[in-house]
Amino acid sequence: MTKTFRHTLLVAIAVLVSVSCSLERKLAKEFIETRDSVAMMLFMPGYVFKTNNKVWEIKNIDQLDDQQRDSALYHSSLFLKEIDDFFLISRYESGLQTGLRKLGIEVFTEEQLPEFMNVEHKSYKVMVAQMELEEDIYPYRAEEVFFDSVLFFEDFDLNVVNLNSWFEIAKLNDPEADDHLLYASHYAMDGLEGRFISNLFTDEVKFHYNLFPMKTEDVYTLAAMLGEKYAGYIYDYLLNEYIYRNFPAGQRPKTYYTYNPQTRVISPAKDNRFIFMPR
């Protein structure tokens, strides 16, 4: 392959990628500006799965049967046993509703089924298929180099609680609509602020820090925050489905986009999105 041909090929590929990205952005903008009214009915789970991963804290856990093991882990947890499922789900649902309404989406609950059935514009069923809380330890190391070559460090075991969510989103009265299982997860954890300080006279180095232990209320706050965050993920899912369905036949979009309603900016979502799960 000659240098001239290789250069021409690379230019052609760059042009094709640029055209593809331009088309994706054009379709995204079209969706935002011309989108019809959208209604959504939310379905929430009846309970939250709870998993304590700190198995090392249970003595002789390998001698327990599954039921005894689960019970021991639950009662030894710091947060799981304190969480009220109904309150957590309510905070989460409230966040979802708030976020969706900010995006101009009409939201219905299960109690509003008759009103939802009379909606004449585009409508979706959004089901939070499952929620799970996972309690664990996050090993954190603070470290810094002093005297040009000496590494000082301090290790901490920070408490962390992950909130995992699985979504199913179905467009009603659309036989061509895809049926995906979508996943997202974020966490709350202990806070830690500190820095290493060197004594100029003794060369002694100590780590001075403040630890801010996580509280049960932080888990409820996480649920409310994630509800509103995932409302944006739902909107982005609809946006990217629109791009996909209006792309030229035989081609696929190369980028998954997110929309910021505050700045009105469309940008690559990167990790700030749902994960598509196999069924």
Side-chain angles (χ1 to χ4, degrees):
M1 183 184 296
T2 65
K3 289 185 178 180
T4 301
F5 179 76
R6 185 185 300 112
H7 176 73
T8 303
L9 180 61
L10 291 174
V11 170
I13 292 173
V15 170
L16 288 174
V17 171
S18 177
V19 170
S20 173
C21 291
S22 298
L23 178 57
E24 291 170 12
R25 288 182 174 274
K26 178 183 177 182
L27 289 171
K29 186 176 180 181
E30 182 179 292
F31 172 84
I32 294 165
E33 294 182 349
T34 65
R35 173 177 57 85
D36 295 330
S37 297
V38 172
M40 287 185 178
M41 170 165 278
L42 295 179
F43 292 88
M44 303 300 296
Y47 57 92
V48 179
F49 286 93
K50 296 172 181 174
T51 304
N52 182 2
N53 292 322
K54 297 183 289 186
V55 295
W56 60 87
E57 295 184 346
I58 308 299
K59 186 177 180 180
N60 299 323
I61 192 170
D62 56 331
Q63 299 177 15
L64 304 178
D65 60 34
D66 290 344
Q67 185 174 354
Q68 292 172 329
R69 181 178 183 273
D70 291 343
S71 177
L73 285 169
Y74 177 78
H75 287 98
S76 69
S77 67
L78 292 176
F79 305 100
L80 302 184
K81 64 185 178 185
E82 303 296 333
I83 295 295
D84 180 89
D85 287 20
F86 176 79
F87 187 54
L88 182 88
I89 293 170
S90 296
R91 294 286 297 272
Y92 190 96
E93 182 178 19
S94 178
L96 271 174
Q97 293 176 353
T98 298
L100 290 171
R101 287 176 180 138
K102 285 181 179 179
L103 289 162
I105 296 173
E106 191 176 6
V107 182
F108 294 82
T109 62
E110 294 182 60
E111 292 76 19
Q112 298 172 303
L113 180 59
E115 296 94 322
F116 180 73
M117 297 304 295
N118 291 325
V119 168
E120 296 182 354
H121 42 267
K122 291 179 183 177
S123 54
Y124 294 82
K125 180 181 72 173
V126 177
M127 178 180 294
V128 183
Q130 183 173 304
M131 294 172 64
E132 178 190 28
L133 287 173
E134 283 185 295
E135 183 174 320
D136 210 335
I137 290 295
Y138 178 79
Y140 174 77
R141 169 169 289 189
E143 59 182 34
E144 189 172 345
V145 174
F146 284 84
F147 317 121
D148 295 329
S149 61
V150 181
L151 177 67
F152 290 84
F153 63 87
E154 194 84 21
D155 290 326
F156 297 87
D157 285 336
L158 303 180
N159 290 299
V160 59
V161 173
N162 294 286
L163 176 51
N164 309 318
S165 304
W166 288 261
F167 285 79
E168 293 179 357
I169 303 174
K171 185 178 181 182
L172 304 184
N173 304 314
D174 185 353
E176 296 183 4
D178 291 322
D179 180 20
H180 293 125
L181 179 62
L182 308 166
Y183 171 79
S185 177
H186 289 83
Y187 62 86
M189 66 187 302
D190 291 340
L192 180 70
E193 290 182 353
R195 63 192 181 99
F196 287 95
I197 298 178
S198 172
N199 188 313
L200 297 176
F201 301 101
T202 65
D203 287 340
E204 183 181 25
V205 176
K206 288 187 176 182
F207 187 66
H208 294 255
Y209 66 92
N210 291 312
L211 180 65
F212 306 96
M214 182 172 57
K215 301 177 182 178
T216 303
E217 179 57 35
D218 295 328
V219 182
Y220 293 126
T221 300
L222 176 70
M225 181 193 72
L226 291 184
E228 189 161 349
K229 182 179 183 68
Y230 295 159
Y233 281 20
I234 292 170
Y235 184 92
D236 291 343
Y237 171 80
L238 301 185
L239 182 151
N240 286 277
E241 283 292 295
Y242 181 85
I243 294 174
Y244 175 81
R245 294 179 67 169
N246 288 278
F247 226 59
Q251 299 183 40
R252 296 177 64 87
K254 293 181 172 58
T255 304
Y256 192 96
Y257 285 94
T258 183
Y259 173 64
N260 186 323
Q262 281 74 44
T263 61
R264 299 184 63 82
V265 170
I266 303 164
S267 60
K270 298 183 180 178
D271 294 332
N272 190 30
R273 52 171 287 186
F274 281 133
I275 297 171
F276 287 70
M277 303 294 289
R279 285 188 175 276

